[in-house]
Amino acid sequence: MASKTDISGEKQFQFANARAQWAFVQKYWPLYVLSIPGLLYFALFKYIPLFGSSIAFQNYNIFKGVSGSPWVGMAHFKRLFTYPEFLIILKNTLLIGMYDLIFAFPVPIILALLLNEIRFNGYKRLVQTVIYMPHFLSWVIVGGIIIGLLSPTTGIVNQVMGWFHIESIYFMGESSYIRSILIGSGIWKDSGWGTIIYLAAIAGINPDLYEAAEIDGAGRFRQVMSITLPSILPTITILLLLQIGHFMDFGFERVYLFLNPLNSENGEILDTYVYRSGLIDRQYSFTTAIGLFKSFVGLALIMIGNTLSKKTSGESLY
């Protein structure tokens, strides 16, 4: 048995024959046993339900079931791109996903770099606790807090604006503000929690690199730009690829709690549309087609992003 190390630093084993491979499995059998629950989870809840996606090609009837419903081919997919409301909702989903990627993704990285520069451990732990706490609040609570803060009558935001003689704004009643509210609330809730992975990556950097930089006269900012950021770049790349894969999955709860008839023009996304059309209006086949479309787009994006990342930086998911 021989091993080699790939560009990511992971060992890849090559076996001389099947007996050597079986001996390797016997040696590390506890690891394979530990993987069984995870494999069962994905099989039961991820792969087996894929067979139900066939209703996207049927006029599904809940009484006839999957086997008895008539097949209609690509009719529901053709309807997607000829339905004006769907195109508007698709644009909202793409714009909100893009804004989240541009504005929300870098925030945990910046916070992790700033936290790493705090030298007083007691204060550092206090700051970490404060910025982690919103993550443990449900979106129902976060939605209530944000709506309360932005209330045109009792909200603190409009009260502060009133001190400067600025007319109060009904933020939740104007569609031009809904995207900023969705992105901003997500940053407040999850950016602190997102710093955990980056802080762990920073903790793994060899301290000798910083000592050598200090001897060469590099300041703290120069050390961050020349040592810290390049060292955590593989972690940033992997998380960015995962984020791209979920580009179309902004989150149902996160949006639904803020939606109302006044701001739905710019705020409704595919997840909320699937809920409204699929569960409320019972258009099961049509909304399943939307789900397949989302999955296809996510798969295409992650494959393109992974290929570009592998060619440019050498880092990739697979």
Side-chain angles (χ1 to χ4, degrees):
M1 180 181 67
S3 66
K4 62 179 182 178
T5 303
D6 63 7
I7 58 175
S8 65
E10 296 181 354
K11 285 187 176 180
Q12 295 183 341
F13 293 93
Q14 295 179 340
F15 302 96
N17 49 52
R19 178 175 294 181
Q21 185 175 6
W22 176 243
F24 180 84
V25 173
Q26 287 181 314
K27 181 178 179 180
Y28 296 102
W29 68 266
L31 297 179
Y32 290 95
V33 172
L34 286 173
S35 68
I36 292 176
L39 294 174
L40 289 175
Y41 167 79
F42 280 98
L44 291 174
F45 299 104
K46 301 296 182 180
Y47 290 102
I48 292 178
L50 287 176
F51 293 103
S53 299
S54 60
I55 67 174
F57 306 94
Q58 300 175 310
N59 275 331
Y60 179 69
N61 187 304
I62 59 175
F63 299 104
K64 295 181 180 179
V66 176
S67 59
S69 299
W71 294 87
V72 295
M74 302 295 292
H76 296 297
F77 292 93
K78 294 177 182 178
R79 178 185 169 191
L80 291 181
F81 301 102
T82 57
Y83 193 41
E85 186 178 10
F86 172 78
L87 297 178
I88 295 173
I89 294 168
L90 177 62
K91 183 190 75 171
N92 291 341
T93 305
L94 294 175
L95 285 175
I96 292 174
M98 183 180 66
Y99 293 155
D100 189 56
L101 194 64
I102 293 173
F103 296 108
F105 181 78
V107 174
I109 303 173
I110 296 171
L111 283 176
L113 294 175
L114 294 175
L115 286 170
N116 187 57
E117 296 303 312
I118 299 176
R119 292 294 171 257
F120 181 48
N121 289 330
Y123 180 69
K124 181 178 180 178
R125 286 194 293 267
L126 175 63
V127 173
Q128 286 179 289
T129 302
V130 171
I131 64 176
Y132 289 172
M133 286 177 64
H135 173 78
F136 298 99
L137 300 176
S138 70
W139 272 110
V140 176
I141 297 174
V142 173
I145 292 172
I146 299 299
I147 292 172
L149 291 174
L150 299 179
S151 171
T153 54
T154 59
I156 189 172
V157 175
N158 277 299
Q159 289 183 8
V160 172
M161 291 170 57
W163 297 343
F164 297 95
H165 305 288
I166 301 175
E167 187 177 354
S168 64
I169 301 173
Y170 184 21
F171 290 97
M172 302 305 301
E174 297 189 24
S175 59
S176 58
Y177 293 106
I178 184 62
R179 292 171 184 164
S180 300
I181 293 171
L182 292 173
I183 302 301
S185 61
I187 291 174
W188 177 75
K189 183 178 186 295
D190 292 324
S191 58
W193 184 256
T195 61
I196 293 177
I197 297 177
Y198 297 112
L199 287 172
I202 292 173
I205 300 174
N206 190 345
D208 294 342
L209 297 175
Y210 294 104
E211 293 178 5
E214 288 181 2
I215 294 173
D216 291 339
R220 296 303 304 173
F221 181 76
R222 183 65 178 176
Q223 292 177 33
V224 169
M225 299 303 296
S226 300
I227 299 175
T228 309
L229 273 177
S231 297
I232 66 173
L233 185 59
T235 303
I236 295 174
T237 302
I238 296 301
L239 292 178
L240 177 61
L241 290 174
L242 293 174
Q243 178 82 2
I244 291 174
H246 291 281
F247 186 81
M248 304 283 283
D249 295 320
F250 190 71
F252 169 75
E253 288 182 337
R254 181 173 174 177
V255 178
Y256 186 73
L257 293 167
F258 293 102
L259 278 186
N260 59 58
L262 299 176
N263 60 30
S264 61
E265 181 182 356
N266 286 346
E268 186 160 31
I269 62 173
L270 290 176
D271 290 331
T272 56
Y273 181 67
V274 165
Y275 169 75
R276 180 163 57 86
S277 298
L279 295 181
I280 297 179
D281 295 339
R282 298 185 297 279
Q283 301 182 61
Y284 303 115
S285 296
F286 179 58
T287 50
T288 302
I290 296 175
L292 282 179
F293 170 75
K294 280 180 53 183
S295 301
F296 176 78
V297 171
L299 177 62
L301 287 174
I302 200 168
M303 291 179 67
I304 293 171
N306 190 74
T307 303
L308 293 176
S309 176
K310 184 181 292 186
K311 289 183 177 180
T312 56
S313 66
E315 299 294 336
S316 62
L317 288 174
Y318 54 89

